[in-house]
Amino acid sequence: MYSHSVTLEQTKCIGCTDCIKRCPTEAIRVRGSKAKIIEDRCIDCGNCIRICRNGAKRAVTDDIDMIQKYKYRIALPAPSFYAQFPKAKNIEQILSTLYKIGFTDILEVGCAAEVITKHTNEYVQTAKNFPIISSSCPAIVRLIQRRFPSLIHHVLPIISPMELAARYIKIQYLEKGILENEIGVFFISPCPAKATEIHRPKGLDRSYVDGVLSMQDIYKMMIYKMNTNQNIDVKRQSSYKGLSWAMHNGGLDENTIKSHIAVDGMESVIGILEKVEDGTLSNVQYIEALACTGGCLGGALALENPFISRYTLKKWIEEDLAKGICSNEKLIQEIASLPYAFNKDITPRPVFSLDRDMQKALTMMEDIETLYKQLPKIDCGSCGAPTCRCFAEDVVKQDAKIEECVFMLRKRIQDLSEVMHNLTQTVIPTHNDNNRKE
Ligand code: SF4
Ligand code: SF4
């Protein structure tokens, strides 16, 4: 079991430092010409995967062979998954190909998304602690835990569609008398943060998802098995309502909640969260915040260009509307009858914690400030830390040496040469000095 999905392939890393500045939690350092991820800080957002031109960062997900461990192999395809197949005849064709690669059952996550949208609207209408911040993107919840801990009480205390779908389908099988170890529930994910989520679920003591499979891996298996002549005998469970979840504003009924902001892309989200922190947005009811640009369609494990994905989904939404395809209302009602609220608090996990001993932490803080004042404050990154402040922190925590900063190294050399020069002037007697004494 892995605690983080995003990992580094050391041999591919050339230590270029491109990734260190784009990590939203300052979790990357370059030391000895190789990047290193500080695990406690990483939120598995996948930003560094997109940035690294050398392919040195990658997302680890479960191996597809894992499904063979189970007699009942249930796929949970997210709406964003369908968008990876712009040439598919329809969504039914995609679903039927999932059976061909070994799954025995499917539950469309879109069904649970429809239910979560309804619960979200109800919650926001009665909430007092505005703005409510969406909780479906695990990278954003982790960002709040680490960088904006004062905003934790704004997070929507409702589980994700993935979790609700997994809970529903597993309970269905258990109620038929099937043993839990025979049931494997697999989410097909566009994002590394979901892969970590099932091992450390937020707001929950356990996840009902048994494995997270990469969208890219499943796509590669499916694309050769899809053909236009295949028999399609699969019925849709969700409709346009579930499909829209994968797009900007998907988790929101705009007719009910008028005062809202939908923001995507890590840097834009951070900008909005800073505004929430300073109280500027207290009149906004709901903020849907997604780590990837383009929402789940832009996830690091998605293959298709997010703009094309959006176009594809829109096309299918229009087709659903034109054909009058409706969700399976009985199924939706059954899912809606399940518990959907967090059963565990989300706790702050601040990035900047120096020591458990308060006195020691204060002393370290003073040392950091003193050192920071001496640094050039240009955040050049050549020391391998994203900012001069981070570098000062690393030095005080003894994770870096002061000489790793080229400016400090130059200053040290200058100081040293001055000392040497003074010494030669005052201490070592010259030949002439000796002659004079005689
Ligand atoms: S972007 Fe980061 S991981 Fe990729 S080569 Fe450069 S330092 Fe290494
Ligand atoms: S996945 Fe995100 S948080 Fe983790 S190291 Fe990469 S950029 Fe930083």
Side-chain angles (χ1 to χ4, degrees), residues 56-294:
K57 295 268 177 45
R58 65 187 187 96
V60 177
T61 49
D62 290 305
D63 196 300
I64 181 72
D65 289 343
M66 186 185 170
I67 74 169
Q68 300 307 334
K69 265 179 40 193
Y70 300 90
K71 185 172 175 190
Y72 302 96
R73 304 179 288 277
I74 304 146
L76 302 181
S80 53
F81 181 59
Y82 310 145
Q84 308 308 307
F85 300 91
K87 291 190 179 151
K89 201 155 108 191
N90 49 35
I91 292 171
E92 287 85 339
Q93 188 188 23
I94 299 166
L95 296 175
S96 72
T97 314
L98 277 172
Y99 286 108
K100 284 191 176 183
I101 62 164
F103 290 101
T104 59
D105 200 356
I106 295 169
L107 177 64
E108 289 187 71
V109 178
C111 295
E114 290 185 34
V115 173
I116 294 294
T117 302
K118 191 170 146 287
H119 291 319
T120 302
N121 287 331
E122 284 164 7
Y123 182 88
V124 173
Q125 283 184 66
T126 55
K128 296 192 171 59
N129 200 19
F130 291 133
I132 303 299
I133 303 168
S134 58
S135 58
S136 60
C137 176
I140 294 301
V141 177
R142 284 183 217 143
L143 176 77
I144 291 173
Q145 284 179 293
R146 282 163 179 78
R147 234 178 115 163
F148 299 93
S150 67
L151 302 184
I152 279 187
H153 61 291
H154 288 269
V155 174
L156 178 76
I158 289 181
I159 63 176
S160 67
M162 171 188 83
E163 274 304 334
L164 186 61
R167 180 176 289 188
Y168 172 77
I169 198 76
K170 201 162 247 181
I171 290 172
Q172 289 299 301
Y173 274 71
L174 290 172
E175 284 179 352
K176 286 182 203 160
I178 295 168
L179 296 174
E180 187 158 9
N181 61 10
E182 292 184 313
I183 314 161
V185 178
F186 295 91
F187 179 66
I188 303 173
S189 179
C191 120
K194 289 276 189 204
T196 321
E197 178 70 356
I198 65 161
H199 303 300
R200 293 180 290 141
K202 59 179 168 12
L204 286 173
D205 19 322
R206 66 159 285 191
S207 171
Y208 284 83
V209 183
D210 298 293
V212 170
L213 306 171
S214 152
M215 226 172 232
Q216 293 176 356
D217 293 348
I218 299 293
Y219 175 90
K220 284 177 206 152
M221 290 179 74
M222 282 174 61
I223 198 69
Y224 298 108
K225 302 210 178 216
M226 279 177 105
N227 61 62
T228 42
N229 302 322
Q230 74 190 68
N231 274 340
I232 299 170
D233 52 3
V234 178
K235 272 216 161 68
R236 291 274 302 282
Q237 300 154 326
S238 178
S239 66
Y240 67 92
K241 292 184 198 162
L243 291 181
S244 62
W245 178 275
M247 307 211 289
H248 209 47
N249 259 349
L252 185 81
D253 179 351
E254 291 182 331
N255 296 324
T256 324
I257 302 168
K258 303 253 186 254
S259 165
H260 65 266
I261 290 174
V263 55
D264 60 17
M266 196 50 98
E267 277 159 29
S268 308
V269 170
I270 289 171
I272 290 291
L273 293 180
E274 282 169 353
K275 295 278 178 204
V276 177
E277 213 170 34
D278 72 19
T280 313
L281 300 177
S282 55
N283 56 345
V284 173
Q285 283 179 292
Y286 185 68
I287 295 177
E288 188 197 51
L290 302 170
C292 299
T293 305

Side-chain angles (χ1 to χ4, degrees), residues 320-424:
D320 274 9
L321 287 166
K323 288 182 196 161
I325 291 180
C326 298
S327 308
N328 179 335
E329 274 313 315
K330 184 173 170 286
L331 177 63
I332 302 285
Q333 274 174 23
E334 284 174 7
I335 297 175
S337 68
L338 291 177
Y340 57 85
F342 286 174
N343 59 16
K344 219 171 110 187
D345 285 342
I346 300 179
T347 49
R349 302 191 60 194
V351 162
F352 194 73
S353 71
L354 293 168
D355 202 281
R356 283 173 195 270
D357 178 340
M358 188 58 110
Q359 193 52 49
K360 204 171 161 198
L362 282 172
T363 311
M364 287 171 86
M365 182 78 90
E366 280 168 21
D367 291 347
I368 290 169
E369 285 306 319
T370 309
L371 176 55
Y372 178 64
K373 281 184 193 148
Q374 298 169 41
L375 296 174
K377 301 176 197 66
I378 55 169
D379 299 339
C380 67
S382 61
C383 61
T387 61
C388 291
R389 187 168 284 283
C390 268
F391 177 67
E393 188 193 324
D394 289 352
V395 172
V396 171
K397 287 163 92 180
Q398 299 187 338
D399 291 334
K401 291 200 179 81
I402 189 86
E403 295 79 16
E404 285 172 75
C405 167
V406 284
F407 296 90
M408 293 304 279
L409 180 65
R410 196 166 62 193
K411 190 169 176 300
R412 284 252 156 129
I413 292 170
Q414 273 169 357
D415 292 349
L416 207 59
S417 64
E418 230 169 81
V419 171
M420 297 282 281
H421 176 75
N422 290 343
L423 274 174
T424 54

Side-chain angles (χ1 to χ4, degrees), residues 8-9 12-20 28-30 33-35 48 51-57:
L8 173 82
E9 274 190 51
K12 290 189 179 168
C13 175
I14 56 164
C16 66
T17 73
D18 281 357
C19 55
I20 60 173
I28 310 174
R29 302 289 184 275
V30 172
S33 303
K34 296 285 175 195
C48 55
I51 288 151
C52 180
R53 285 168 289 177
N54 298 293
K57 295 268 177 45

Side-chain angles (χ1 to χ4, degrees), residues 6 23-25 27-28 37 42-48:
V6 177
C23 172
T25 53
I28 310 174
I37 299 176
C42 175
I43 58 172
D44 281 313
C45 66
N47 257 9
C48 55

